[in-house]
DNA sequence: CTCAAATGTTTGAGCGCTCAAACCGTAACG
DNA sequence: CGTTACGGTTTGAGCGCTCAAACATTTGAG
């Protein structure tokens, strides 16, 4: 049963009574081969348990048929993008497209990371990279674009519209908009926003989420809304929200830019309520923490985003010079079980 | 600056005025090359920006210099092994040992997974596999051992001591023991255990954690301890613990087999306390959820475990027939910030 | 002064595949 | 009936590396 000498293109060819190249054609360009021959070859392949050698193929085609993605260094934060799902999505979509996913460990700084990426690409270990957690002051996209490395970012090129590249991102504004809709449906009328510092200025993930909240409030014709800001830290958020809730213009609901902020806000709300019903808090990211606290949270369709990244990359492999494309995916509201 | 035709062994050799093989030796077996030659070659390598082609190397050595690991399908559970950290650890340790990490998507069932693994190994995409989340009724270790595939499991071969293999696991008994020590230090004297169904019988992760609790209790000379069981579900755990706390033998602390159980237990404790100080709950896994709730939890040293997996694999690559080895790593108690 | 053993370096072959070009029948056309 | 065209197939070369063996050169012993 076990073929000891692993089958090669040549051994299969001999068995089927054809040439090496014909076997290859059966696998890669079936149309080129006559029906009868094809079947004979397929039978030989099946009988011998032939598996094409990836390295040989890579060497001949000069393509790795693999993409690289960073394995995030342990971030002890409560929320933040949980990448497990993203990795699974990439691997799954990759499998469907003949791409393997290779992981590289996040190094200390961006320079070191760019070195690793170069290495991966130049040694032929990967054809392209998927960038995660991109931010406005990220050096990586510009560098990769400059060095001609194929890549797709999960995250928009905030404020870098000059040097465009392929990207996929979640529509944060839509997410906070959904949160507001939900709260309006619940009868809330004074819906505050808890965002990150610097939210209002430069384009960023934070400003995007804030905008969604603001637009939804405006659209509903509610008065001037309250907004506060805090570093992405539960304790800091708790303090900020405590102050807010103790004040005169205490809202009856708070939309947060992250689940970490939401956790702090929720704690403050519970404390302020003193046994009563706390102010409703909506989070962002739908992490297990939000679920554990019973909070509504905006969920990013990570799996879909991963599939789209692969789609963009395969499309680019086919036409390397096509214009850069960006895709925005809609989030959904996660209600606790 | 940019070398257009990527440098090869031959181009570097020509530049240094030596043969192809000498350049290869400088890289792989520096001792074989005379000092002067070596330096000349290294200079040529540096100047030309040479990077060894991985596929070519793989083809010639018949080694992929890569290991495969499963990308877990989205598990919506609150706790459970957070693999992000494991992936990072593997990638990091792999980089130090010249091993890349390739991801494969968890398929619908074990049979499909074994097929994927076979494929990865037979096509030369990976030399070995790291198995995660192994359980007692897992088919994978036996199959892989049978098919001669090199692998290392993160998880002990519970009840399968007959077919031994390399593994790394966290000492669960030690973990729950630490939890008990901690509670004793806090002055608790009636420390219950909330475990999974079937804890007591067959060897398993659950029975191991339970044993640690029990032994620590016995050692402290406390009376017959209370233990209850629940499926790994927060709602179910909450119900079970509510009943327990309402009864006559309500404990003053509860050690849980997971953070999911701990979440349920904590909810029940808060409810039962009615505003007072709730019964102390200790979790297992130190997930963000436990941190968010302010619970003490047993943390698995995931990063260390990943490094050990790589160590075991590299050792096995060197001596394929050495006896199987298992390593137990000690967890640590995580106190909330 | 000769021969064998180190030491350092090169040569030849081959890993298993794909590309491009060459080849070979047979059908279609003038 | 010769010529062109074309589907189907094979041949030759090469991708960039490592292995083993062959080859120089130096060195130390007899």
């Amino acid at each position: 049963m076990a073929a000891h000498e692993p089958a090669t293109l040549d051994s299969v060819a001999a068995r089927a009574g054809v040439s090496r190249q014909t076997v290859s054609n059966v696998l890669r360009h079936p149309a080129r081969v006559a029906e009868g021959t094809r079947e004979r070859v397929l039978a030989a392949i099946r009988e011998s348990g032939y598996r094409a050698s990836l390295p040989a193929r890579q060497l001949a085609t000069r393509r790795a048929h693999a993409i690289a993605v960073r394995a995030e260094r342990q971030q002890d934060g409560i929320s933040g993008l949980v990448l497990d799902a993203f990795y699974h999505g990439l691997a799954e979509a990759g499998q469907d497209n003949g791409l393997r996913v290779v992981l590289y460990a996040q190094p200390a700084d961006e320079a070191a990371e760019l070195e690793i990426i170069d290495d991966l690409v130049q040694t032929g270990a990967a054809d392209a990279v998927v960038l995660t957690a991109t931010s406005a002051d990220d050096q990586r996209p510009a560098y990769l674009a400059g060095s001609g490395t194929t890549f797709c970012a999960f995250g928009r090129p905030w404020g870098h519209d000059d040097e465009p590249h392929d990207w996929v991102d979640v529509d944060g504004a839509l997410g906070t908009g959904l949160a507001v809709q939900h709260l309006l449906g619940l009868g809330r009328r004074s819906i505050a926003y808890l965002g990150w510092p610097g939210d209002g200025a430069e384009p960023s993930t934070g400003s995007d989420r804030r905008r969604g909240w603001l637009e939804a409030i405006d659209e509903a014709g509610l008065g001037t809304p309250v907004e506060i800001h805090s570093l992405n830290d539960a304790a800091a958020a708790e303090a900020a929200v405590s102050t807010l809730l103790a004040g005169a213009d205490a809202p009856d609901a708070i939309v947060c830019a992250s689940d970490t902020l939401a956790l702090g806000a929720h704690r403050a709300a519970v404390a302020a309520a003193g046994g009563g019903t706390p102010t409703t808090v909506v989070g962002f990211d739908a992490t297990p923490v939000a679920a554990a606290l019973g909070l509504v949270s905006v969920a990013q369709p990570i799996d879909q985003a991963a599939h789209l990244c692969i789609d963009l990359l395969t499309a680019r492999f086919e036409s390397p010079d096509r214009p850069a494309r960006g895709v925005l995916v809609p989030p959904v509201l996660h209600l606790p079980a």
Side-chain angles (χ1 to χ4, degrees), chain A:
Chain A
M1 180 189 172
H4 259 174
E5 282 307 307
T8 73
L9 225 39
D10 278 301
S11 76
V12 172
R15 177 190 284 255
V18 296
S19 77
R20 187 182 4 113
Q21 182 63 41
T22 297
V23 180
S24 173
N25 284 336
V26 168
L27 260 19
R28 309 284 166 215
H29 309 279
R32 288 188 195 162
V33 181
E35 167 110 20
T37 317
R38 195 189 314 143
E39 279 170 11
R40 200 147 32 90
V41 170
L42 285 174
I45 288 178
R46 233 172 293 125
E47 288 163 20
S48 60
Y50 170 74
R51 323 251 64 195
S53 158
L54 210 83
R57 192 157 126 77
Q58 290 179 208
L59 184 56
T61 59
R62 298 143 152 287
R63 291 252 278 112
H65 303 281
I67 57 166
V69 64
R70 181 172 84 179
E72 222 73 4
R73 199 174 39 237
Q74 177 90 43
Q75 71 258 54
D76 277 330
I78 284 160
S79 94
L81 187 57
V82 177
L83 285 173
D84 280 1
F86 191 65
Y87 294 143
H88 182 269
L90 281 184
E92 189 177 60
Q95 251 152 44
D96 297 343
N97 289 276
L99 289 174
R100 273 153 313 105
V101 176
V102 334
L103 242 35
Y104 64 89
Q106 176 176 26
D109 54 75
E110 260 184 12
E113 179 174 352
L114 291 172
E115 212 165 292
I116 291 179
I117 293 177
D118 273 350
D119 211 82
L120 249 18
V121 172
Q122 283 169 28
T123 60
D127 299 315
V129 188
V130 173
L131 250 35
T132 54
T134 59
S135 61
D137 57 338
D138 207 312
Q139 305 293 309
R140 298 176 298 162
Y143 177 86
L144 293 180
S147 74
T149 303
T150 308
F151 73 100
C152 174
F154 183 19
R156 269 165 277 185
W158 298 111
H160 294 272
D161 309 298
D162 43 322
E163 182 67 80
H165 59 255
D166 291 331
W167 57 263
V168 173
D169 202 2
V170 174
D171 191 339
L174 178 54
T176 43
L178 289 173
V180 171
Q181 304 297 337
H182 170 74
L183 291 168
L184 289 173
L186 253 43
R188 302 294 184 281
R189 283 294 169 271
S190 167
I191 303 171
Y193 182 72
L194 169 56
W196 296 310
D199 257 344
E202 318 255 297
S204 67
T205 305
S207 72
D208 188 48
R209 294 183 183 176
R210 174 179 171 281
R211 182 172 56 80
W213 159 79
L214 191 57
E215 287 178 1
I217 295 284
D218 282 351
E219 201 170 303
L222 301 175
T224 320
V226 178
E227 75 181 282
I228 57 174
H229 302 266
S230 158
L231 291 172
N232 201 40
D233 172 86
E238 184 174 357
V241 173
S242 287
T243 310
L244 175 67
L245 293 178
D249 48 357
D252 55 13
I254 307 175
V255 173
C256 304
S258 77
D259 275 355
T260 303
L261 293 176
L263 167 62
H266 178 70
R267 282 187 181 155
V270 168
T277 309
T279 306
T280 310
V281 171
V282 177
F284 208 111
D285 274 348
T287 61
V289 170
L293 299 175
L295 297 181
V296 173
S297 188
V298 179
Q300 306 199 32
I302 300 288
D303 188 71
Q304 192 188 345
H307 277 76
L308 285 167
C309 283
I310 298 289
D311 289 349
L312 287 180
L313 285 177
T314 53
R316 179 152 304 283
F317 289 147
E318 272 166 31
S319 41
D321 297 321
R322 69 130 224 272
R325 202 178 300 163
V327 183
L328 218 43
V329 303
V332 298
L333 217 53
H334 253 212
L335 308 179

